[in-house]
């Protein structure tokens, strides 16, 4: 992304209608919390992420993300929570996306489309869907006062995107509303509605949570495919060569030889993904006939593989990689490695394990590193 974008995630609600004993954003959905889903989906487009947490839960939210996000204490209303987060925005930020933690499944693509409109000059951009029901306005006694023309109605979603200065000014007006676009409207600003998406629905009730489960987990009629991939490289005799592994630089460990950065974990994952989708392998996708990938970093290959997998109509369910070698020790940096690989793959679930080989073979003799990966994908 060229433009610097901050993502504000109001997550300070209690989730009364869901009826859980913990704040809604911390409720689990297929192995991670709602707020983790929201962060994973928007992280690929974000320069800065700020979460407004319920008072008393700040450290629990910080523990989920470490240094990658800023956590502020939310307010009594959604508007107050967003305002608290706005105070933390870095100076270099141009665009701000405000995104409900409760719209946990909104996609990276939706966020990119919002940003594209901002980059084209819009000051406020919101996703919305056409309304299927006829909508009435009613008075306090329940009598209909008006029937707006359905063709002009949109049910709006988040992420809502804004020029930073415009959003700051709108919040200074001190008005309360259930979304941020309404604040821009109140100061006379233009708000552009673009096509929303079904999966950006707000998780409000237990039924919504069940619907989110169904969307994430493949059912028995899904076309599910697995792939495997391996890669190996020898340690270099050049003591100064840096080691790149699992999307990370490992200072103090000599790198491996090879035409690329030699990131065996990233390469094994790319091969597993391409194999799962019957898209060939690393060589056929990024080999000599594709010179722009010569010496490419593992991260670049992962991003391009994700693009090819998505274009072929597949969604990644999860990826698992095992690194084989005496060094470096993976354990202390496991969560960093998972974050780097997952971020390059658009926030998918990644696991990273490691093993030595009891002194046997080239890995056991300390001559090189290997990785073995598997990937599960579902045809959309
Ligand atoms: N929110 C917030 N601060 C508040 C109230 C709401 O940051 N004081 C956030 C919620 O955490 C949620 C988003 O605003 O991500 C949309 O609100 P909603 O879906 O209504 O969530 P809750 O208020 O938690 O749910 P409920 O209204 O059922 O209590
Ligand atoms: Mg609420």
């Amino acid at each position: 992304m060229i433009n610097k974008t901050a993502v504000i995630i109001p997550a300070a609600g209690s989730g009364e209608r869901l009826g859980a004993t913990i704040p809604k954003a911390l409720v689990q959905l297929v192995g991670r919390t709602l707020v983790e889903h929201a962060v994973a989906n928007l992280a690929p487009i974000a320069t800065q992420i700020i979460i407004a947490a319920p008072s008393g839960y700040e450290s629990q939210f910080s523990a989920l993300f470490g240094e990658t996000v800023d956590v502020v204490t939310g307010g009594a209303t959604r508007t107050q929570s967003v305002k608290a987060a706005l105070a933390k925005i870095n100076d270099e930020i141009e665009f701000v996306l405000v995104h409900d933690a409760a719209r946990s499944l909104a996609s990276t693509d939706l966020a990119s489309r919002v940003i594209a409109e901002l980059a084209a000059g819009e000051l406020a951009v919101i996703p919305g869907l056409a309304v299927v029901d006829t909508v009435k306005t009613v008075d306090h006694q329940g009598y209909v006062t008006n029937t707006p023309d359905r063709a002009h109605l949109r049910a709006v979603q988040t992420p809502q995107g804004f020029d930073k200065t415009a959003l700051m000014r709108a919040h200074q007006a001190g008005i309360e509303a259930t979304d941020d676009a309404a604040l821009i409207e109140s100061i006379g600003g233009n708000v552009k509605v673009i096509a929303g998406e079904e999966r950006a629905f707000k998780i409000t009730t237990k039924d919504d949570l069940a619907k989110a489960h169904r969307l994430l987990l493949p059912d028995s009629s899904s076309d599910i495919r697995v792939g495997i991939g391996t890669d190996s490289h020898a340690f270099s005799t050049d003591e100064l060569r840096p080691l790149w592994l699992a999307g990370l630089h490992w200072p103090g460990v000599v790198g491996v030889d090879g035409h690329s950065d030699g990131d065996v974990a990233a390469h094994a994952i790319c091969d597993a993904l391409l194999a799962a989708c019957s898209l060939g392998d690393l060589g056929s996708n990024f080999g000599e006939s594709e010179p722009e990938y010569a010496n490419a970093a593992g991260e670049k290959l992962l991003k391009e593989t994700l693009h090819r997998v998505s274009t072929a109509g597949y969604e990644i369910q999860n990826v698992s990689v095992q690194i084989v070698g005496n060094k470096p020790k993976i354990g202390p940096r496991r969560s960093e490695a998972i974050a780097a690989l997952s971020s390059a793959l658009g926030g998918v679930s990644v696991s990273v394990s490691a093993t030595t080989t009891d002194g046997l073979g080239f890995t056991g003799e300390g001559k090189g590193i290997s990785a073995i990966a598997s990937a599960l994908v579902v045809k959309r």
Side-chain angles (χ1 to χ4, degrees):
M1 271 303 144
I2 302 150
N3 298 96
K4 299 216 182 299
T5 301
V7 173
I8 286 178
I9 302 188
S14 58
E16 225 167 279
R17 287 168 288 180
L18 188 64
T21 51
I22 50 172
K24 180 161 76 176
L26 294 176
V27 166
Q28 290 281 330
L29 170 66
V30 193
R32 49 183 165 172
T33 60
L34 294 186
V35 68
E36 283 175 279
H37 281 283
V39 167
N41 287 328
L42 266 62
I45 53 83
T47 310
Q48 185 188 10
I49 300 176
I50 310 166
I51 299 177
S55 176
Y57 288 89
E58 298 85 346
S59 55
Q60 227 168 303
F61 278 71
S62 294
L64 286 176
F65 304 104
E67 306 269 284
T68 53
V69 308
D70 294 314
V71 174
V72 300
T73 307
T77 62
R78 185 184 180 285
T79 305
Q80 293 304 315
S81 295
V82 173
K83 198 168 189 175
L86 273 174
K88 273 269 174 181
I89 287 211
N90 291 340
D91 285 347
E92 88 254 25
I93 295 298
E94 287 172 79
F95 301 150
V96 182
L97 262 51
V98 182
H99 182 48
D100 294 333
R103 297 187 190 271
S104 316
L105 303 187
S107 70
T108 313
D109 175 65
L110 180 60
S112 300
R113 288 194 284 114
V114 170
I115 292 171
E117 293 285 341
L118 293 171
E122 298 290 345
L123 287 187
V125 180
I126 65 177
L129 293 177
V131 173
V132 288
D133 294 316
T134 296
V135 175
K136 310 271 185 193
T137 56
V138 293
D139 65 16
H140 288 301
Q141 279 83 44
Y143 291 104
V144 172
T145 52
N146 189 25
T147 304
D149 178 359
R150 197 172 64 189
H152 292 294
L153 295 176
R154 296 291 178 272
V156 306
Q157 307 174 319
T158 70
Q160 298 192 343
F162 306 94
D163 167 79
K164 179 176 75 175
T165 313
L167 184 63
M168 295 253 185
R169 196 145 28 89
H171 269 268
Q172 271 154 20
I175 294 157
E176 282 285 333
T178 51
D179 77 347
D180 296 275
L183 306 180
I184 298 283
E185 295 156 41
S186 75
I187 60 166
N190 281 338
V191 177
K192 168 106 180 259
V193 180
I194 63 165
E197 57 182 20
E198 288 291 344
R199 60 184 299 135
F201 73 98
K202 191 166 74 171
I203 298 172
T204 307
T205 63
K206 284 204 159 62
D207 279 353
D208 294 330
L209 198 58
K211 177 177 162 186
H213 260 271
R214 286 195 299 277
L215 277 172
L216 284 180
L217 293 178
D219 63 24
S220 55
S221 66
S222 304
D223 184 356
I224 303 172
R225 298 168 182 219
V226 297
I228 60 165
T230 73
D231 193 30
S232 303
H233 279 289
F235 283 118
S236 177
T237 49
D238 175 1
E239 299 267 309
L240 295 176
R241 192 165 162 89
L243 178 69
W244 283 91
L245 184 63
L248 302 177
H249 176 224
W250 299 76
V253 188
V254 176
V256 296
D257 283 326
H259 296 302
S260 66
D261 68 351
D263 186 336
V264 290
H267 296 174
I269 291 172
C270 291
D271 255 344
L273 284 167
L274 294 167
C277 307
S278 306
L279 289 173
D281 54 26
L282 266 184
S284 66
N285 279 271
F286 307 115
E288 277 160 21
S289 58
E290 314 270 335
E292 75 258 42
Y293 295 106
N295 298 316
E299 186 196 6
K300 179 173 175 183
L301 294 180
L302 286 166
K303 284 185 171 162
E304 184 54 29
T305 299
L306 169 65
H307 177 67
R308 292 182 189 201
V309 163
S310 306
T311 307
Y314 293 92
E315 199 160 277
I316 303 173
Q317 205 64 34
N318 80 305
V319 162
S320 177
V321 64
Q322 184 178 46
I323 295 162
V324 187
N326 296 347
K327 60 184 179 179
K329 291 284 169 249
I330 304 299
R333 298 187 71 191
R334 189 194 313 274
S335 42
E336 242 182 292
I338 289 171
L341 295 169
S342 175
S343 164
L345 290 173
V348 302
S349 169
V350 173
S351 67
V352 174
S353 60
T355 187
T356 54
T357 48
D358 205 17
L360 298 172
F362 75 91
T363 51
E365 289 162 13
K367 291 180 179 164
I369 320 178
S370 283
I372 305 166
S374 61
L376 186 71
V377 301
V378 182
K379 182 105 189 181
R380 277 195 300 273

